């Protein structure tokens, strides 16, 4: 059973546009929510992460929005570039030392 | 600072054989986790080690095992390989494995079972 639900499965955005990926969780024991970016043939790379006591975190063109009451969080990629074309995974970590991943979103940025 | 190093990068094995994969964490990181990535099941947790102790294990059969050494390097072993074990095996390291620290992944070992 997937503990973190991620949508959409894929999205296409024009260069300069905004990509939005949503995730939802049920387990209130989760206490850390990272996002990973993965290119074909590579391991996931940590992009940005947030704790549930913060509602928003921004790093460059990447922003996480977190809604603790709704148990939802999302990644916004502003000014999307062709180099952002990758698969993005949301994840959640509790005190069981186990990252639970969403199913992934393949983002394609058209030039 | 060197990242997480996994060896080998690629492996081809025959059904019934066993395989050992290695992971060297980032210097100073004591928590090492292993994940299996497949197109159908996504990223699934195998186990996590800290100071040579397994603290959690995922829902995988006993053919999957691991260990961690005193220098935090970790190995995972899969015995009696099955075709379904073909996957990208990823290792992640973090300072403590707890939600107050970040986890960094290696490039993975691509295992193909034929």
């Amino acid at each position: 059973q997937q503990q973190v639900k991620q949508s959409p499965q894929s999205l296409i955005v024009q260069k300069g546009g905004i990509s939005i990926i949503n995730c939802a969780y049920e387990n209130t024991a989760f206490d850390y929510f990272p996002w990973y970016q993965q290119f074909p043939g590579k391991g996931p790379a940590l992009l940005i992460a947030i704790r549930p006591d913060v509602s928003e975190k921004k790093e460059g063109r990447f922003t996480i929005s977190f809604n603790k009451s709704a148990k939802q969080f999302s990644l916004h990629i502003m000014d999307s570039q062709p180099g952002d074309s990758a698969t993005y995974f949301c994840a959640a970590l509790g005190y069981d030392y186990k990252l639970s991943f969403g199913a992934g979103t393949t983002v394609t940025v058209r030039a | 600072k060197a990242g997480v190093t996994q060896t080998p990068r690629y492996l081809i094995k025959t059904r019934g054989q066993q395989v050992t994969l290695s992971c060297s964490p980032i210097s100073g990181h004591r928590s090492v986790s292993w994940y299996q990535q497949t197109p159908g099941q996504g990223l699934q947790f195998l186990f996590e080690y800290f100071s040579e102790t397994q603290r959690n294990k995922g829902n995988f059969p006993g053919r999957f095992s691991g260990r961690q050494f005193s220098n935090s390097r970790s190995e995972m072993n899969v015995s009696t390989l099955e075709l379904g074990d073909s996957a990208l095996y990823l290792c992640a390291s973090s300072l403590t494995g707890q939600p107050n620290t970040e986890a960094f992944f290696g490039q993975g070992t691509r295992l193909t079972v034929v």
Side-chain angles (χ1 to χ4, degrees), chain A residues 5-97:
Chain A
K5 290 183 167 47
Q6 183 172 347
S7 63
Q9 187 175 356
S10 63
L11 68 91
I12 299 173
V13 63
Q14 291 296 121
K15 180 182 173 182
I18 302 172
S19 303
I20 301 174
I21 305 169
N22 300 299
C23 289
Y25 65 97
E26 286 297 324
N27 188 348
T28 55
F30 289 143
D31 203 37
Y32 174 74
F33 300 86
W35 284 86
Y36 287 88
Q37 178 191 56
Q38 187 176 30
F39 293 104
K42 303 288 186 183
L46 180 64
L47 201 57
I48 186 173
I50 198 167
R51 298 292 300 271
D53 54 348
V54 176
S55 61
E56 186 174 282
K57 183 175 181 180
K58 183 177 179 178
E59 286 184 6
R61 296 183 294 107
F62 300 91
T63 300
I64 301 178
S65 298
F66 192 89
N67 186 329
K68 187 174 179 178
S69 60
K71 290 184 280 187
Q72 295 175 347
F73 58 111
S74 61
L75 176 71
H76 290 61
I77 307 173
M78 314 300 285
D79 187 27
S80 296
Q81 300 297 311
D84 297 333
S85 296
T87 300
Y88 293 80
F89 293 93
C90 60
L93 177 67
Y95 287 88
D96 59 355
Y97 319 111

Side-chain angles (χ1 to χ4, degrees), chain A residues 2 29-34 36 38 41-46 48-49 51 57 59 87 89 93-103, chain B residues 9-10 31 33 35 37 41-45 48 55-58 88 90 92 96-108 110:
Chain A
Q2 198 108 37
F30 289 143
D31 203 37
Y32 174 74
F33 300 86
Y36 287 88
Q38 187 176 30
K42 303 288 186 183
L46 180 64
I48 186 173
R51 298 292 300 271
K57 183 175 181 180
E59 286 184 6
T87 300
F89 293 93
L93 177 67
Y95 287 88
D96 59 355
Y97 319 111
K98 174 181 103 171
L99 275 167
S100 295
F101 285 89
Chain B
R9 289 292 313 280
Y10 303 92
S31 167
S33 302
Y35 293 82
Q37 186 175 26
Q41 299 298 315
L43 282 146
Q44 293 192 290
F45 172 78
E48 188 265 359
R55 297 193 295 189
N56 198 358
K57 188 178 191 303
L88 181 66
L90 293 159
T96 67
Q98 294 188 5
N100 57 347
T101 59
E102 299 165 325
F104 298 91
F105 282 84
Q107 296 221 68
R110 172 73 63 185

